């Protein structure tokens, strides 16, 4: 039996992907799995960042790029161009815990131009995790 007046918060974990042809993959994900585009930001012909929803859940994706993040997560066929993003209230507190637990820090806490404070690390088996204060919600406009 569920208690009344329980507040359910939006998701905090967002699988993220990089694709060689992200624009084509967005169309495929819509067609194949029923995702809907919540936001899509282009950089010329490349998808700089996109958010796709499926119900109340969301994934993030973008085009493969030869940049620092791309070197961390790889592309399709390597590490499948993915990582997991977790929205948190206090990036620095999680960073301290992760570092103390032996996480390999790939990027120190960084203030992003879109207002988020993020850091990126790898777990002991090499999975890439990003933590930040950016918290998009499927029910809110991008």
């Amino acid at each position: 039996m569920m208690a009344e007046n329980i507040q359910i918060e939006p998701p905090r974990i967002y699988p993220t992907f990089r694709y060689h042809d992200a624009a084509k993959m967005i169309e495929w994900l819509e067609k194949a799995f029923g995702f809907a585009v919540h936001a899509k930001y282009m950089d010329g012909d490349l998808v700089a960042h996109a958010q796709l929803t499926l119900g109340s859940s969301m994934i993030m994706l973008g085009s493969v790029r030869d940049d620092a993040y791309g070197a961390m997560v790889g592309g399709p066929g390597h590490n499948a161009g993915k990582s997991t993003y977790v929205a948190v209230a206090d990036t620095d507190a999680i960073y301290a815990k992760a570092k103390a637990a032996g996480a390999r820090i790939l990027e120190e806490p960084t203030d992003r131009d879109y207002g988020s404070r993020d850091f990126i690390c790898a777990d002991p088996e090499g999975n890439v995790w990003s933590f930040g204060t950016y918290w998009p919600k499927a029910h809110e406009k991008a």
Side-chain angles (χ1 to χ4, degrees):
M1 184 172 182
M2 291 192 58
E4 292 183 286
N5 299 325
I6 292 178
Q7 196 76 323
I8 299 174
E9 69 180 20
R12 290 181 178 264
I13 300 174
Y14 302 91
T16 61
F17 305 88
R18 286 230 169 155
Y19 292 107
H20 291 292
D21 190 342
K24 187 175 182 179
M25 284 304 303
I26 289 170
E27 293 175 10
W28 187 87
L29 290 164
E30 288 177 301
K31 181 179 178 181
F33 301 140
F35 278 95
V37 174
H38 180 255
K40 183 166 77 170
Y41 306 101
M42 301 298 292
D43 182 11
D45 291 339
L46 299 177
V47 176
H49 175 78
Q51 298 166 188
L52 279 61
T53 59
L54 185 63
S56 65
S57 297
M58 187 180 296
I59 63 170
M60 298 181 200
L61 63 91
S63 296
V64 169
R65 292 177 178 259
D66 185 20
D67 59 10
Y69 187 71
M72 288 179 222
V73 300
H78 297 97
N79 188 28
K82 66 183 180 327
S83 68
T84 299
Y85 176 85
V86 182
V88 297
D90 187 345
T91 300
D92 295 298
I94 302 298
Y95 167 81
K97 284 183 180 182
K99 191 170 183 176
R104 185 166 47 99
I105 304 301
L106 302 174
E107 183 178 76
E108 296 289 328
T110 302
D111 292 320
R112 305 288 184 202
D113 59 1
Y114 50 89
S116 187
R117 182 159 175 80
D118 302 344
F119 81 94
I120 304 171
C121 65
D123 67 25
E125 294 213 7
N127 294 301
V128 176
W129 292 83
S130 299
F131 294 85
T133 56
Y134 180 64
W135 188 7
K137 297 162 186 78
H139 68 282
E140 293 179 2
K141 186 174 174 155

